[in-house]
Amino acid sequence: MKITAARVIVTCPGRNFVTLKIETDEGLIGLGDATVNGRELAVVSYLQDHVIPTLIGRDAHAIEDTWQYLYRGAYWRRGPITMAATSAVDVALWDIKAKAANMPLYQLLGGRCRTGVMCYGHANGADIAETLDEVARFIDMGYLAIRAQCGVPGIASIYGVTKDKLFYEPADAAIPTESTWSTPKYLDHVPKLFDAIRAKFGFEKHILHDVHHRLTPIEAARLGKSLEPYRLFWLEDPTPAENQEALRWIRQHTVTPIAIGEVFNTIHDCRTLIQEGLIDYIRTAVVHAGGITHLRRIASLADLHHVRTGCHGATDMSPVCMGAALHFDLSVPNFGIQEYMRHTTQTDEVFPHAYTYADGYLQPGEAPGHGVTIDEELAARYPYRPSALPVNRLEDGTLWNW
Ligand code: KDG
Ligand code: MG
């Protein structure tokens, strides 16, 4: 089966998405997500100018060889743009292969390892009382695991907390907006949130929290220690992890489980973390870490070291990424949890999908392929809108991690 055409579709049904569509001489088509939040057009160019011309005429079944061709063959390995483009091709080809086999993708990946994919939703509130209300709402929706984020007194705006509830859309302006950050205020407030959550709801539900790369290792160690009584499922992105060795500090001080990796692109970004047992969950996403092919490699390494998966699933992972992730989640032995920040109705309409949510679990569905399609006519009604992620400054104006 030969690849006859490939095209990039950019659409903004509430937020920007970049989708690769690959066509074959047997009439089968495949879709892959290539969205990099705030840098969408860089991936469009990478695909259109450098990848698509090399795909035409290739064997659509040769997934591993194509992956190696795009990774080794580029000479310039790794990086979010290269790996998102590679991922889009990889996922589109897995979609095609599974359609050719007339099977849902998870069957090609070894079949089900579990009955469903446990997911977590986002409870966020301006203050502790509002966050508690949101946690209650997710419990009512059947969630078994809930991420809790809360405004901090004295900080005007904070990562994860907005007026929107089921979806959170941080890329809010063409030129990045700026927010202010205070580590001391945050560190004093956060334990109060989890104290209130456990006091009100007990310990039955899994509770998670995202630090969004804001702390130094020793500050993160202090936070992990102070949250131990509340038994978090995970503490996410406590520090930026370009410096993987820094995670040793956190590990030496706390038994709060650590999750990291949503901005990682390859196995090399998490090799030290996994091999030295410095983390508990690896959060690499299908779209940003080289597709199903590379994510399975990361999961296999992680499995050797008792590290489980926890794929990134914010709104900027398109439904195509979410669909593919669910087949991966169902089929890897060391699955941990899947993030599920819902998409807007417009996004769901542009990307009809087979996956469903019920009672705390997601199912990828039984449609052949990954089960996500695109309504191109509808997509064309939502043109690209430049949107950048915010930046963050300390109270004295020093640029900090957002
Ligand atoms: O593009 C950035 C978002 O995906 C990110 O801010 C969301 O941290 C995030 C999460 O855990 O969902
Ligand atoms: Mg995160």
Side-chain angles (χ1 to χ4, degrees):
M1 181 168 41
K2 296 253 180 281
I3 297 174
T4 49
R7 199 152 44 80
V8 181
I9 302 160
V10 181
T11 180
C12 184
R15 69 144 15 265
N16 293 315
F17 293 112
V18 177
T19 309
L20 177 70
K21 179 175 180 180
I22 294 183
E23 295 173 28
T24 63
D25 58 0
E26 293 186 13
L28 293 176
I29 63 130
L31 294 183
D33 180 23
T35 309
V36 176
N37 204 359
R39 296 291 184 269
E40 293 86 2
L41 299 187
V43 199
V44 174
S45 162
Y46 194 95
L47 281 166
Q48 285 177 344
D49 298 331
H50 306 291
V51 173
I52 288 176
T54 70
L55 294 179
I56 311 305
R58 291 185 70 84
D59 176 5
H61 277 304
I63 297 178
E64 181 66 46
D65 184 67
T66 300
W67 196 94
Q68 299 293 337
Y69 183 85
L70 295 174
Y71 184 81
R72 291 173 198 261
Y75 186 66
W76 306 106
R77 301 179 182 199
R78 309 166 63 184
I81 307 303
T82 301
M83 296 310 286
T86 304
S87 165
V89 175
D90 186 76
V91 170
L93 294 182
W94 276 110
D95 192 23
I96 288 169
K97 194 186 273 296
K99 284 174 180 164
N102 198 26
M103 285 180 178
L105 175 55
Y106 73 83
Q107 294 292 12
L108 262 57
L109 303 178
R112 263 177 202 277
C113 276
R114 53 196 53 81
T115 53
V117 173
M118 182 172 72
C119 61
Y120 69 91
H122 288 213
N124 64 72
D127 53 26
I128 290 177
E130 201 187 353
T131 308
L132 292 178
D133 290 346
E134 285 300 304
V135 171
R137 197 151 75 98
F138 278 89
I139 292 174
D140 287 347
M141 288 189 280
Y143 279 79
L144 307 170
I146 300 149
R147 184 184 98 162
Q149 307 290 136
C150 174
V152 172
I155 306 182
S157 66
I158 194 166
Y159 164 76
V161 179
T162 56
K163 55 184 183 350
D164 301 321
K165 291 305 176 200
L166 286 174
F167 1 84
Y168 166 53
E169 203 46 77
D172 56 0
I175 302 297
T177 54
E178 300 209 355
S179 41
T180 305
W181 174 251
S182 160
T183 295
K185 288 175 184 156
Y186 168 78
L187 286 179
D188 282 349
H189 193 65
V190 170
K192 296 176 194 156
L193 169 66
F194 292 97
D195 194 49
I197 290 174
R198 288 309 191 196
K200 180 154 187 187
F201 302 105
F203 283 80
E204 195 197 326
K205 303 291 174 192
H206 299 304
I207 300 294
L208 302 80
H209 182 66
D210 189 351
V211 183
H212 222 250
H213 324 271
R214 305 264 162 113
L215 303 178
T216 64
I218 202 68
E219 289 163 351
R222 181 181 139 201
L223 179 63
K225 213 167 171 174
S226 66
L227 296 180
E228 278 173 13
Y230 313 115
R231 284 182 258 143
L232 262 54
F233 185 90
W234 80 32
L235 185 67
E236 175 183 336
D237 285 339
T239 60
E242 290 102 310
N243 181 350
Q244 296 183 46
E245 290 74 13
L247 269 289
R248 286 193 200 112
W249 280 95
I250 305 174
R251 212 39 154 187
Q252 280 161 11
H253 291 283
T254 179
V255 294
T256 293
I258 303 297
I260 213 158
E262 66 180 48
V263 299
F264 293 173
N265 312 124
T266 73
I267 200 164
H268 302 290
D269 299 329
C270 44
R271 198 150 43 94
T272 302
L273 294 174
I274 291 173
Q275 288 176 333
E276 294 193 20
L278 302 180
I279 57 171
D280 301 277
Y281 296 91
I282 180 67
R283 286 201 18 87
T284 38
V286 173
V287 54
H288 298 134
I292 294 282
T293 297
H294 197 63
L295 215 56
R296 291 222 296 167
R297 220 158 265 146
I298 293 174
S300 297
L301 177 67
D303 193 26
L304 294 180
H305 298 276
H306 307 276
V307 173
R308 291 188 281 162
T309 66
C311 286
H312 190 201
T315 34
D316 47 306
M317 315 307 104
S318 92
V320 174
C321 176
M322 179 58 73
L326 294 175
H327 291 271
F328 166 84
D329 294 337
L330 208 57
S331 62
V332 287
N334 54 326
F335 166 76
I337 198 164
Q338 170 68 52
E339 181 180 14
Y340 180 43
M341 204 199 285
R342 289 157 190 251
H343 289 109
T344 60
T345 310
Q346 293 106 303
T347 297
D348 284 338
E349 284 166 359
V350 168
F351 295 97
H353 50 262
Y355 62 79
T356 51
Y357 166 85
D359 303 328
Y361 291 92
L362 286 158
Q363 298 288 348
E366 296 297 316
H370 56 47
V372 186
T373 58
I374 188 164
D375 180 336
E376 289 191 62
E377 260 180 43
L378 195 54
R381 284 195 229 152
Y382 299 108
Y384 170 74
R385 212 172 50 209
S387 312
L389 289 166
V391 297
N392 212 12
R393 291 186 188 276
L394 301 181
E395 286 168 307
D396 70 356
T398 307
L399 198 83
W400 197 241
N401 316 310
W402 178 71

